[in-house]
Amino acid sequence: MGNIVSSPKHRQLKAQSVQEAGFENYTEVSSCLLGGSIELVTDESCGTASNLLKVEKADRQLNLDDFNEATDGWLTKRHEPVGSATITLCNESKIAGFDIDTTGYTDCCPSFANVEGYQTSNMTWQVILPESRINADSHNFYDVKDSKVYSSVRLNIAPGGGVARFRVYGDISPDWSDKSKDYNLASAKLGARIVRWTDQRNANNPNILLDGGFKMSDGWLTPRSKLEKERNDFVLIQLATAGALESITIDTTGFDKNSPANVFIQGCYSEDVDPHYDVFASWVCLVPLSAVLPGGETVFYFEDLKDPITHIRMHLVPDGGIQQIKVMGKPAVKETKQPLLIEQAPEVIVIEEDTEEDNDVTTTIIVEEILDTPIIEQLSPAKPSAAARGEKRARKSKPAH
């Protein structure tokens, strides 16, 4: 695989968690939950490559035991000079970093790895992470600076060995070119994500932004309220893009005995990831306190909602669980108000003891200068022309009659 390449576009981070690496605000675009999948693998004789994309943390004990055939990672057979696994991302994405996790693999950990990305736009593979040394039995976080959009990535290791998990973090960049199409702007597969929550145990996972859930473990269920205090938990969702909303659907499939009594939903427009830090964000009521059907779908339609919305804040009142929230709409851009150009009145020059002939000459000079002046200068505060100032000085120097 050659020598290690030094590049300012990537660096290895001294971190052992997503939070330490600073990737918590990115989407795991390789996640099998969002639709990431193994496209191609050179060898998986001792451990299947699909383990790379598992949501659960790697079982270290399984990987430490060389005699255990149930390894929890991707493991090639011995004496393989290189290994390669190609992953299709959940959607086209800009990539911010990687975690090449070798938890539990000590003797059979590869020495080096690199990552390539496939660009659909020009149908070429590009090196995202040059060949880099990786450490055994640890997380290997890499920060990358790359503005390109990729649909697939290829992890290459040398020599062949074991990798427990491979996580790709970035921002999903879907194609919004069809302006007439309605999108579920609250879909995690399009880039929507939960950025703030009150239920510390369950609310910060993306389940309610995913399709296909049918049981409670696929959704969000809050703890029960106590007699002395109702919970009223909420989640704050950053939509996949700013949109003109048409409807919001609350799906409680699987929660027929645990659905909330009511929901209350607000929306705002903000260019910040979390609008709680945006002093200019203005929240509007989208759905007033309203009952939802248990074990089914409740749809709220909008007719007079004109301004684009970027964030949704949904409260469950007083508590309960939902399977999914769908926010249907079209991508929209917020119109910026143009500053008004106010034309100021020209300064009035008062001339004492002026003759009728001098008046005619001065007026002619000023009119000619205005006609020859560009429009943008005419909108600026008017100043006396040089000719007018000269005429004034000349007249003031005349002896009194």
Side-chain angles (χ1 to χ4, degrees), residues 368-379:
E368 287 177 352
E369 286 197 5
I370 291 177
L371 292 176
D372 291 337
T373 303
I375 293 297
I376 189 64
E377 292 184 19
Q378 293 182 34
L379 293 177

Side-chain angles (χ1 to χ4, degrees), residues 167-182:
R167 308 202 188 279
V168 183
Y169 297 96
D171 288 318
I172 297 174
S173 300
D175 180 8
W176 303 112
S177 57
D178 188 353
K179 302 298 183 184
S180 63
K181 181 180 176 181
D182 288 336

Side-chain angles (χ1 to χ4, degrees), residues 356-377:
E356 185 176 343
E357 182 181 357
D358 288 339
N359 248 343
D360 294 340
V361 172
T362 302
T363 302
T364 302
I365 293 173
I366 293 175
V367 170
E368 287 177 352
E369 286 197 5
I370 291 177
L371 292 176
D372 291 337
T373 303
I375 293 297
I376 189 64
E377 292 184 19

Side-chain angles (χ1 to χ4, degrees), residues 234-246:
F234 75 81
V235 290
L236 200 164
I237 301 164
Q238 182 185 31
L239 301 179
T241 188
L245 307 192
E246 297 179 0

Side-chain angles (χ1 to χ4, degrees), residues 322-396:
I322 69 167
Q323 197 76 63
Q324 186 181 8
I325 177 173
K326 300 176 186 176
V327 181
M328 303 303 296
K330 293 181 174 64
V333 178
K334 187 177 180 67
E335 295 182 3
T336 55
K337 296 181 179 180
Q338 298 295 331
L340 296 176
L341 295 176
I342 302 175
E343 181 178 355
Q344 295 185 4
E347 295 178 4
V348 178
I349 302 174
V350 180
I351 302 174
E352 298 178 358
E353 302 179 359
D354 204 0
T355 64
E356 185 176 343
E357 182 181 357
D358 288 339
N359 248 343
D360 294 340
V361 172
T362 302
T363 302
T364 302
I365 293 173
I366 293 175
V367 170
E368 287 177 352
E369 286 197 5
I370 291 177
L371 292 176
D372 291 337
T373 303
I375 293 297
I376 189 64
E377 292 184 19
Q378 293 182 34
L379 293 177
S380 302
K383 297 179 180 179
S385 66
R389 289 194 299 269
E391 283 293 319
K392 183 178 179 181
R393 283 195 298 270
R395 284 191 293 272
K396 283 188 176 182

